[in-house]
Amino acid sequence: MIRRASLVLVGALMGATAMSVLYSAGIPAQAAGTSTYKELSIFGDVFERVRAQYVTPPDEEKLVENAINGMLTSLDPHSTYMNAKDAADMQTQTRGEFGGIGIEVTMEEELVKVITPIDDTPGSKAGILAGDFISEIDGESVRGLKLEEAVEKMRGAVNTPIKLTILRKGADKPIELSIVREIIPIRAVKSRVEGDVGYLRVISFTEKTYDDLEAAIIKIQKEVPADKLKGFVLDLRLNPGGLLDQAIYVSDAFLERGEVVSTRSRDPEDTRRFNASAGDLTDGKPLVVLVNGGSASASEIVAGALQDLKRATVLGTRSFGKGSVQTIIPMGEKGALRLTTALYYTPSGRSIQGTGIEPDIKVEQPLPEELQGKVRAEGESALKGHIKGQNESEEGSGSVAYVPPEAKDDVQLNYALDLLRGAKTDPSFPADPAKAVVAK
């Protein structure tokens, strides 16, 4: 496997399903012209007027931060300024671990409901059960809080205590628990065996993704003998993206050779190409990749590479269509600038910006009755101020992003399983690497 350094960090686009493909860099700034600095002096004058004469004393730090973000959002939806807290949250996402108690939760009837405690974490050791409701955190009611606010309260520094009040069906009174936070790893890959097929779901691209994927493949190969294993499903649906290096590693896990992706900025000399190395972890077993409107950025790099190099058959609906690269530039006081600096291209030389990955086999996932009319297709092309892709048309990018909670209701997954087992056929399956489509 290839292992390249320096490709790190991730940024989330709030209000959309895309997360940015990034690498950190120190980019020298170039001096602006004299007229530009005159305009900046006007900004300084306006700031002083607002600070001194606005009807109520403004928060000066927020004024400056909002002014910076106003400038950046005029460029595209993915360029933004992150204050110290936002930058720290981003680093937590990319590391794939945090200080907490280890429970998966949702919000129900204004209370935090435990979906499941993660094995061998403080939460499971303290006796928290699936179905428990958390009514208070450190003596404060969770009613009125958003889910992310409640989660933020439960996370914290390692070795610090937290008190939870639990409401449990069948218990005659609330249960009080005192738990000490520990480092909680975030699973980047979930896997299981579907009879004679290995199922791999990549949730996001963090620093742990490749290692989790490799471990999952090895586990499946131990459970199902090679002569019985029909192939693998790589599920990238609802995957918002993440680290560029991890997208390359995940692609390379299934490839023997070929260019995975290239990035191109406004300076042609800055074009970078990333190639796969020998060593397919699945020994060339047939592969189906699932995508939908929630597959964005890094997940589109993987789908695009495996599709162009004819290593996999892509099935589902059109992906989100985020084909831009953001560079993270550290700023003062631990903040950071996330700036769009390049577009990425699949091995065939296509940009998916504003168009997305078109699956080889289009399979729609029906919406349940209660969601019909309430879920709409989302994509990069619908974002205000997005960079228009070179191949973008009125059709745009994206599709409905919905995956049923139960595998039996998952039309796309079951279609993939039928392909791998021979119950269904299609000219695009199995994919033939000898017919790879690459840029000339």
Side-chain angles (χ1 to χ4, degrees), residues 10-56:
V10 65
L13 172 63
M14 302 305 292
T17 57
M19 293 178 76
S20 309
V21 177
L22 314 166
Y23 46 86
S24 62
I27 299 177
Q30 297 180 342
T34 304
S35 61
T36 301
Y37 284 111
K38 287 181 179 179
E39 293 295 326
L40 286 174
S41 71
I42 295 175
F43 169 79
D45 291 341
V46 172
F47 175 80
E48 285 301 324
R49 288 286 185 181
V50 172
R51 187 184 66 82
Q53 298 180 359
Y54 186 66
V55 63
T56 57

Side-chain angles (χ1 to χ4, degrees), residues 141-328:
S141 174
V142 301
R143 294 185 186 277
L145 294 180
K146 296 178 181 178
L147 179 60
E148 56 268 27
E149 292 172 332
V151 169
E152 185 69 22
K153 284 181 176 291
M154 287 186 284
R155 290 183 178 180
V158 174
N159 294 325
T160 59
I162 180 175
K163 292 182 179 180
L164 300 179
T165 301
I166 304 290
L167 304 180
R168 180 175 296 165
K169 186 177 180 180
D172 56 1
K173 62 180 180 178
I175 301 169
E176 305 286 343
L177 295 177
S178 182
I179 306 173
V180 177
R181 297 178 177 94
E182 295 179 5
I183 291 178
I184 307 299
I186 304 171
R187 289 176 63 188
V189 177
K190 292 186 178 181
S191 65
R192 64 178 184 265
V193 170
E194 289 279 351
D196 50 5
V197 174
Y199 173 81
L200 304 161
R201 180 188 170 210
V202 180
I203 301 166
S204 62
F205 290 85
T206 71
E207 292 175 10
K208 299 178 179 294
T209 301
Y210 174 77
D211 290 338
D212 283 1
L213 178 70
E214 182 180 36
I217 292 173
I218 291 172
K219 183 174 183 292
I220 289 170
Q221 290 171 332
K222 287 180 177 178
E223 290 184 32
V224 186
D227 61 337
K228 302 292 185 184
L229 187 60
K230 291 290 196 299
F232 290 85
V233 174
L234 180 64
D235 193 347
L236 299 177
R237 294 173 299 175
L238 305 182
N239 183 319
L243 301 179
L244 176 59
D245 64 340
Q246 293 293 319
I248 296 167
Y249 300 157
V250 168
S251 301
D252 192 18
F254 303 96
L255 295 169
E256 291 285 358
R257 66 186 65 84
E259 181 179 297
V260 174
V261 68
S262 63
T263 60
R264 308 176 197 177
S265 66
R266 71 183 189 187
D267 184 348
E269 293 185 2
D270 289 338
T271 296
R272 306 180 69 184
R273 299 182 183 279
F274 304 93
N275 298 308
S277 59
D280 181 344
L281 296 184
T282 66
D283 298 321
K285 288 288 186 181
L287 180 65
V288 177
V289 175
L290 302 182
V291 297
N292 65 9
S295 307
S297 202
S299 57
E300 292 177 291
I301 285 179
V302 175
L306 297 178
Q307 184 180 54
D308 280 2
L309 297 177
K310 299 300 180 185
R311 175 61 187 89
T313 300
V314 178
L315 184 151
T317 55
R318 189 185 292 270
S319 64
F320 190 85
K322 183 187 176 297
S324 61
V325 179
Q326 282 67 47
T327 299
I328 296 296

